[in-house]
Amino acid sequence: MTEFRDDFLWGGAVAAHQLEGGWQAGGKGVSLADVMTAGDNDTAREITDGVLPGRNYPNHTAIDFYGNYRDDVKLFAELGLKCFRTSIAWTRIFPNGDEAEPNEAGLKFYDDLFDDLLKYHIEPVITLSHFEMPYHLVTEYGGWRNRKLIDFFVKFATVVFKRYQHKVKYWMTFNEINNQTGLNEWGLFTNSGILVKSGEDAEKAMYQAGHYESVASALAVQIGHQINPNFQIGAMFAMGPTYPATPAPADVMKAERAMQANYWFADVQCKGKYPSWLQRYFERKNFDLDLTLADLDVIKAGTVDYIGFSYYASHVIKADANEPVDFMTPMANHEVKNPALTRSDWGWEIDPMGLRYALNWFSDRYDLPLFIVENGLGAFDKKDADGQINDDYRIDYLRQHIAQMKLAVTIDGVDLMGYTPWGFIDLVSAGTGQMDKRYGLIYVDKNDAGEGTLKRGKKASFNWYQHVIKTNGADLD
Ligand code: BG6
């Protein structure tokens, strides 16, 4: 007996700006990702004032999927993928974001890519906005702090929904829309195109942007369903369960508040309404957001069909004796290490059971089908003497997570649609801009300095995952 449904979407996940390259090809405009420099674990990526000479912008060339996609898709077919999750670069379709007409060359690129995938029976799973947007919308409109962004996004969504309505069934509106709740400047900027101005209330800006994005997402869901009622349009959240550091009630309440603060986006997108605690919070903080009754109707009518989420790690939180437990400060101010877990090379806590916890948490709370659209281990890979990469650590990570996912399905009855490991082909890290933070089952010969042949190669995890897919997850050995 196999545990996963027959149409289970085994796949792999990437995002346009992290693998395509071709940053100016086919009339593409400059995106937010194109003005982000490379960093590393100790050095934050910098967002420069436009593209400056002499700086290293890793997303400009990435792994040149733009030029190589036909060969890459062949390899994906050999891996046995049933689906391929990527995003559409907004700047290929609307280079500046505010044009009256879309860019035909950009539309054609995705037509060709989707045709190629479908030729191999690989279902495209498409995110509309994955951590990027036309840079012009940032400089000229202030990013998502401006209501006009709703119209630009809805136009972009409508164009691609219409164009690919017979090629793409599975969509997601915003990648990790809740990633900005940490209130750190970097996250806020890339998710919403907002660089916090001096004196600006970053928290208020985040809620305002999050509200406009929620309205834009709900409108896109409604329009998508009108264009093709068979569309499955999901939300996408970063899931990192937050556990209390101790059984002390203040820690438990702090953890609960952290979860609420992180998943109010899910309440809005899945239940179609703001949670009561957040309404009170807006009042208490006198935020006076631009949030109309008409917006609330849109949100109510535009709930999603499924929940897509990423899962890499869990977190542990400790209350601060000097502030109320419901005080909302960046998670980082309260996070402590989990003594029960080990960490990745980049310090991310490895918690396979947390994935089962997450699946149960979403399922109980929203009663919607779930789709794990990112999971994986970012690690330094080393070639053996014979040039092979025996990434047992990655196989082990994936195996343990899939085993927990299986328990969630068989024992807990969670309705799980699919699983797409992140960066299954090496690509540019979103957080650090590195190439050497590798998640891939497919190796790409390129290093942090941008050197390499870009040649693709199979790691040991490639063969392992191929077998997992072949057995529909029955055999994880
Ligand atoms: C998720 C993003 O946050 O995590 C991806 O959706 C990102 O874009 C992935 O690449 C892994 O993070 P990082 O920083 O290791 O690339």
Side-chain angles (χ1 to χ4, degrees):
M1 186 193 90
T2 174
E3 292 88 350
F4 298 109
R5 53 204 225 188
D6 290 341
D7 61 352
F8 194 80
L9 290 165
W10 293 102
V14 297
H17 68 288
Q18 290 174 259
L19 92 162
E20 284 178 5
W23 71 293
Q24 291 180 305
K28 181 181 170 297
V30 177
S31 87
L32 192 47
D34 294 326
V35 296
M36 290 180 72
T37 61
D40 58 38
N41 221 12
D42 306 312
T43 324
R45 301 187 74 175
E46 205 185 313
I47 295 154
T48 56
D49 190 10
V51 175
L52 305 180
R55 304 302 303 268
N56 177 10
Y57 298 101
N59 301 75
H60 286 187
T61 49
I63 63 161
D64 191 23
F65 182 71
Y66 188 83
N68 257 310
Y69 75 90
R70 285 188 195 280
D71 286 341
D72 285 337
V73 170
K74 250 185 235 163
L75 207 50
F76 303 166
E78 188 185 336
L79 181 56
L81 295 195
K82 310 274 187 216
C83 76
F84 173 64
R85 175 185 176 225
T86 189
S87 57
I88 293 178
W90 190 342
T91 45
R92 289 203 192 283
I93 313 303
F94 288 100
N96 281 327
D98 59 358
E99 291 89 346
E101 295 301 325
N103 170 34
E104 179 53 32
L107 286 165
K108 172 87 170 47
F109 169 69
Y110 292 105
D111 257 325
D112 294 346
L113 170 62
F114 299 155
D115 285 344
D116 225 43
L117 290 163
L118 293 170
K119 187 168 93 188
Y120 294 104
H121 308 289
I122 300 173
E123 189 92 48
V125 175
I126 300 304
T127 316
L128 292 172
S129 173
H130 190 127
F131 286 2
E132 52 156 351
M133 67 175 72
Y135 186 54
H136 178 77
L137 296 185
V138 174
T139 54
E140 299 307 308
Y141 297 88
W144 279 98
R145 58 161 87 72
N146 190 331
R147 185 177 270 276
K148 285 193 183 133
L149 267 276
I150 299 176
D151 296 337
F152 297 138
F153 178 83
V154 167
K155 187 166 185 183
F156 162 58
T158 307
V159 164
V160 298
F161 282 156
K162 279 195 182 147
R163 177 80 172 217
Y164 307 122
Q165 60 176 301
H166 303 300
K167 300 182 183 180
V168 178
K169 176 177 173 190
Y170 298 97
W171 300 87
M172 278 169 273
T173 52
F174 291 91
N175 182 67
E176 293 191 345
I177 190 168
N178 61 327
N179 199 316
Q180 49 200 322
T181 48
L183 304 183
N184 83 42
E185 207 172 279
W186 184 88
L188 195 55
F189 193 96
T190 53
N191 271 29
S192 296
I194 294 175
L195 187 56
V196 180
K197 297 178 201 149
S198 92
E200 185 178 21
D201 182 339
E203 188 181 18
K204 180 179 170 188
M206 184 275 290
Y207 283 117
Q208 186 64 70
H211 174 67
Y212 291 150
E213 286 162 3
S214 302
V215 173
S217 171
L219 283 168
V221 170
Q222 292 177 52
I223 292 166
H225 285 152
Q226 279 159 17
I227 291 171
N228 184 344
N230 291 326
F231 275 178
Q232 290 289 302
I233 310 175
M236 197 303 196
F237 309 112
M239 169 42 100
T242 301
Y243 310 140
T246 74
D251 284 347
V252 175
M253 187 60 213
K254 188 80 196 169
E256 173 65 11
R257 181 59 96 221
M259 288 297 279
Q260 288 175 320
N262 215 345
Y263 299 103
W264 67 267
F265 283 99
D267 294 345
V268 170
Q269 290 186 282
C270 305
K271 293 181 177 173
K273 58 179 190 179
Y274 274 86
S276 53
W277 72 269
L278 187 54
Q279 293 174 32
R280 290 286 160 86
Y281 189 71
F282 290 161
E283 286 163 22
R284 281 198 289 144
K285 297 279 284 192
N286 288 319
F287 275 158
D288 192 22
L289 300 177
D290 172 28
L291 188 163
T292 67
L293 288 175
D295 291 345
L296 296 180
D297 287 342
V298 167
I299 282 172
K300 199 170 175 188
T303 53
V304 291
D305 300 317
Y306 69 92
I307 295 175
F309 70 94
S310 61
Y311 177 82
Y312 294 92
S314 56
H315 306 278
V316 175
I317 198 166
K318 181 136 192 57
D320 181 336
N322 299 319
E323 60 185 34
V325 285
D326 61 354
F327 194 80
M328 311 249 272
T329 48
M331 176 79 191
N333 294 358
H334 300 271
E335 191 159 1
V336 293
K337 279 190 176 162
N338 189 331
L341 301 175
T342 58
R343 276 160 274 284
S344 75
D345 293 341
W346 273 261
W348 293 18
E349 281 170 346
I350 301 176
D351 179 11
M353 197 182 284
L355 177 57
R356 181 175 179 188
Y357 178 91
L359 285 161
N360 275 272
W361 191 87
F362 273 135
S363 181
D364 289 353
R365 200 171 163 107
Y366 302 111
D367 203 16
L368 283 170
L370 304 178
F371 196 166
I372 302 165
V373 295
E374 288 186 31
N375 174 236
L377 180 71
F380 288 111
D381 287 333
K382 276 206 194 77
K383 285 192 173 162
D384 289 349
D386 59 357
Q388 294 302 307
I389 293 174
N390 287 305
D391 53 344
D392 299 343
Y393 38 90
R394 184 168 293 111
I395 295 175
D396 200 44
Y397 178 101
L398 295 172
R399 179 192 286 125
Q400 288 191 51
H401 283 78
I402 296 175
Q404 290 293 326
M405 155 179 134
K406 213 184 243 194
L407 293 173
V409 171
T410 52
I411 310 285
D412 309 332
V414 165
D415 182 6
L416 187 60
M417 298 161 60
Y419 176 75
T420 60
W422 173 254
F424 73 104
I425 177 164
D426 290 344
L427 41 60
V428 177
S429 155
T432 67
Q434 290 173 286
M435 270 305 299
D436 282 335
K437 186 180 188 186
R438 296 177 187 276
Y439 288 86
L441 320 179
I442 298 170
Y443 183 78
V444 177
D445 182 30
K446 185 173 177 182
N447 63 17
D448 283 353
E451 303 151 349
T453 60
L454 290 180
K455 201 168 167 276
R456 279 54 166 158
K458 298 175 201 166
K459 303 182 195 176
S461 52
F462 183 100
N463 299 327
W464 173 82
Y465 190 49
Q466 187 183 49
H467 182 69
V468 171
I469 298 177
K470 228 177 238 161
T471 63
N472 198 19
D475 185 1
L476 303 183
D477 289 333

